[in-house]
Amino acid sequence: MTRGIKLFKILGIQVSLDFTWFVVFSLVVWSLAVGYFPVQYPGQVGLTYFLMGIISSLLLFASVLFHELSHSHVANKLGLEIKEITLFIFGGVAKLSKEPDDPMIELKIAIAGPLSSVFLAALFWVLKNIIETAIASPFITAILGYLVMINIVLVVFNLIPGFPLDGGRVLRAILWLRTGDVQKATEVTSSIGKGFAMLLIFFGIVQILAANFLGGMWAVFIGLFLQQAAESGYQQVLLKKALLGVNVKDAMTKDVVTISSDYAIAKVVEDFFFVYHFIGFPVVSDGHLVGMLTLNDVRTVPKQEWHNTFVKDVMDSNINNMIIEAKDNVMDALTKMISLEKGRLPVMDNNKLVGIITRQDIMKLMVIKQRPADWRGNRYFAVFRVNLFRRNKFINHLIPAVNILKKYL
Ligand SMILES: [Zn+2]
């Protein structure tokens, strides 16, 4: 389930628009129509500027999409599956099924984006020069001029060596190649990323105080977004390290309570949800696992229907996708939960249901695994203390966030 609008498929990749995109699109159109174009191309009516703003914004987002597609295409070629790109509030986010395991792969994927933007900047520059000499239409050349400029901005911005920007990924890959330590490489580059984000926010506030409200707000927004992305990119690496070598079987909840597909919803609510306080139960029929029923499935049924609606009518029966093996790595389970947007997975061993693993199980495990003792003697210890505090806060925020997420599953 994607929060947004599916646009089209290209190179096997689904392109979607997040709802926040429309907000940004309107803002870009507006700032171009009232700010940028009246200066670049004076003496026109408001409607002309508005039209130029719309065309330029659409081409800007096409440029961003081209940039993201270049990353994704290279990633797909190198064996990392990317099925979806969502154009977000700022730029795009390619849905990587997992982070690259090899610094060289990371390097190639990271560099593809800026190279594609350099290509676009050059292409628009050539077009601009051709149009300038051939038909001398200031309307078109002003738009092309903007596209040259904005693609150069995209290159420069993305090459800042702070993770998770492209430049940060390149630097991370180089550090990772030289030291073999992905965690430290991520820590250093995400610190640069956060430092840069702080600078951007500071710069934005100064701009706002100097009455450049629009430009200042942009800088603050992008800074906040970057800060968040740098932090969560680092968390992901820590998570991966903490969960390395831990099997699903060690993190799952055993003694799993199952329900029959023939039970009425009323019975399930009274005898299971109210009794065990679990959010979901595996469903069995003739001794076989046939589905999962969560509280949210129940919520889709009006209360007066609870007596004549059965578990099999509302359960999620797409069970083959959901199954995880007891011997699998916990990280695989988490990756699966994220890609399926599920809060829990049934665990099988030799075709037998042996447990259930939830996001909370993994979260708990992560807290236990990441003790400050592991970090003694590390020169980043001071930094880590701050991060530990943040991380606990992060987990505390994450658990309700996951619960909210579950509402939509
Ligand atoms: Zn990029």
Side-chain angles (χ1 to χ4, degrees):
M1 199 173 68
T2 306
R3 200 176 69 96
I5 297 161
K6 289 192 169 176
L7 283 186
F8 49 81
K9 252 187 163 168
I10 182 166
L11 297 167
I13 300 161
Q14 173 69 50
V15 178
S16 305
L17 278 187
D18 188 79
F19 292 122
T20 54
W21 183 89
F22 292 96
V23 180
V24 178
F25 183 78
S26 318
L27 271 173
V28 173
V29 172
W30 181 58
S31 51
L32 286 176
V34 303
Y36 181 82
F37 284 121
V39 175
Q40 295 293 317
Y41 179 39
Q44 304 300 311
V45 292
L47 192 67
T48 309
Y49 293 134
F50 187 64
L51 192 64
M52 289 172 90
I54 290 179
I55 296 170
S56 304
S57 303
L58 285 174
L59 287 167
L60 161 64
F61 284 105
S63 302
V64 170
L65 178 61
F66 185 74
H67 176 113
E68 290 306 322
L69 275 172
S70 309
H71 285 304
S72 308
H73 185 61
V74 173
N76 277 336
K77 284 259 174 215
L78 294 172
L80 280 155
E81 225 185 325
I82 293 179
K83 289 186 188 146
E84 190 174 356
I85 292 177
T86 304
L87 290 178
F88 239 77
I89 190 148
F90 298 111
V93 172
K95 232 185 196 172
L96 268 168
S97 51
K98 57 178 184 181
E99 286 279 311
D101 291 323
D102 176 348
M104 276 317 285
I105 292 181
E106 163 121 312
L107 193 64
K108 287 175 191 162
I109 297 173
I111 205 77
L115 283 180
S116 72
S117 296
V118 169
F119 168 77
L120 281 185
L123 180 75
F124 287 128
W125 184 80
V126 170
L127 281 176
K128 178 175 176 270
N129 281 295
I130 291 173
I131 302 250
E132 235 159 24
T133 47
I135 52 172
S137 156
F139 180 87
I140 300 173
T141 47
I143 291 173
L144 287 170
Y146 168 74
L147 289 167
V148 174
M149 186 274 292
I150 202 73
N151 274 291
I152 292 171
V153 168
L154 278 177
V155 174
V156 172
F157 181 75
N158 275 297
L159 282 182
I160 288 160
F163 185 82
L165 292 172
D166 297 336
R169 285 186 176 275
V170 169
L171 180 63
R172 179 173 87 144
I174 293 168
L175 293 174
W176 183 4
L177 266 175
R178 293 181 73 173
T179 63
D181 187 344
V182 61
Q183 184 184 333
K184 198 166 281 177
T186 312
E187 185 168 355
V188 172
T189 49
S190 73
S191 295
I192 299 172
K194 277 183 268 184
F196 175 69
M198 288 303 181
L199 265 176
L200 211 58
I201 294 167
F202 177 74
F203 170 78
I205 292 168
V206 170
Q207 288 288 306
I208 292 169
L209 292 177
N212 178 8
F213 188 74
L214 204 61
M217 283 304 281
W218 274 124
V220 170
F221 273 138
I222 296 171
L224 287 172
F225 175 75
L226 205 60
Q227 155 79 30
Q228 191 62 39
E231 183 64 28
S232 68
Y234 180 53
Q235 300 295 349
Q236 204 177 337
V237 174
L238 283 180
L239 181 71
K240 198 170 173 179
K241 196 196 173 195
L243 300 182
L244 201 74
V246 181
N247 292 334
V248 168
K249 139 171 131 303
D250 304 321
M252 69 182 189
T253 305
K254 291 155 196 144
D255 306 321
V256 50
V257 180
T258 60
I259 55 176
S260 163
S261 62
D262 296 325
Y263 287 167
I265 296 300
K267 177 183 170 62
V268 172
V269 170
E270 215 153 278
D271 296 350
F272 291 88
F273 283 106
F274 282 172
V275 174
Y276 295 100
H277 304 289
F278 293 153
I279 308 282
F281 294 92
V283 181
V284 291
S285 171
D286 296 328
H288 292 289
L289 182 66
V290 291
M292 289 285 283
L293 184 82
T294 64
L295 213 46
N296 294 300
D297 300 324
V298 173
R299 285 204 190 104
T300 61
V301 185
K303 207 165 179 179
Q304 59 272 24
E305 308 277 311
W306 279 7
H307 281 280
N308 44 35
T309 307
F310 298 92
V311 171
K312 57 173 174 277
D313 304 329
V314 288
M315 69 181 188
D316 186 347
S317 54
N318 196 2
I319 200 73
N320 285 333
N321 280 337
M322 274 190 267
I323 286 169
I324 188 100
E325 293 288 324
K327 62 171 175 8
D328 286 348
N329 190 280
V330 169
M331 203 62 206
D332 295 334
L334 189 63
T335 309
K336 199 165 205 175
M337 283 183 211
I338 292 166
S339 71
L340 292 174
E341 298 184 23
K342 294 284 174 200
R344 63 212 53 248
L345 301 173
V347 183
M348 305 288 277
D349 191 12
N350 284 325
N351 288 323
K352 253 182 65 191
L353 180 70
V354 290
I356 197 160
I357 187 163
T358 66
R359 290 194 192 207
Q360 274 96 335
D361 290 335
I362 299 174
M363 231 82 81
K364 265 187 265 165
L365 191 77
M366 187 183 149
V367 179
I368 296 162
K369 288 285 247 172
Q370 290 183 342
R371 290 161 308 181
D374 299 339
W375 287 72
R376 290 256 155 79
N378 187 311
R379 67 196 174 97
Y380 292 105
F381 188 65
V383 180
F384 174 69
R385 287 287 295 273
V386 179
N387 280 340
L388 181 73
F389 168 70
R390 282 217 193 114
R391 184 152 53 248
N392 285 335
K393 244 171 64 187
F394 167 76
I395 290 160
N396 289 337
H397 285 303
L398 206 59
I399 291 172
V402 169
N403 286 331
I404 294 165
L405 241 164
K406 271 198 227 110
K407 273 189 168 174
Y408 298 98
L409 296 184

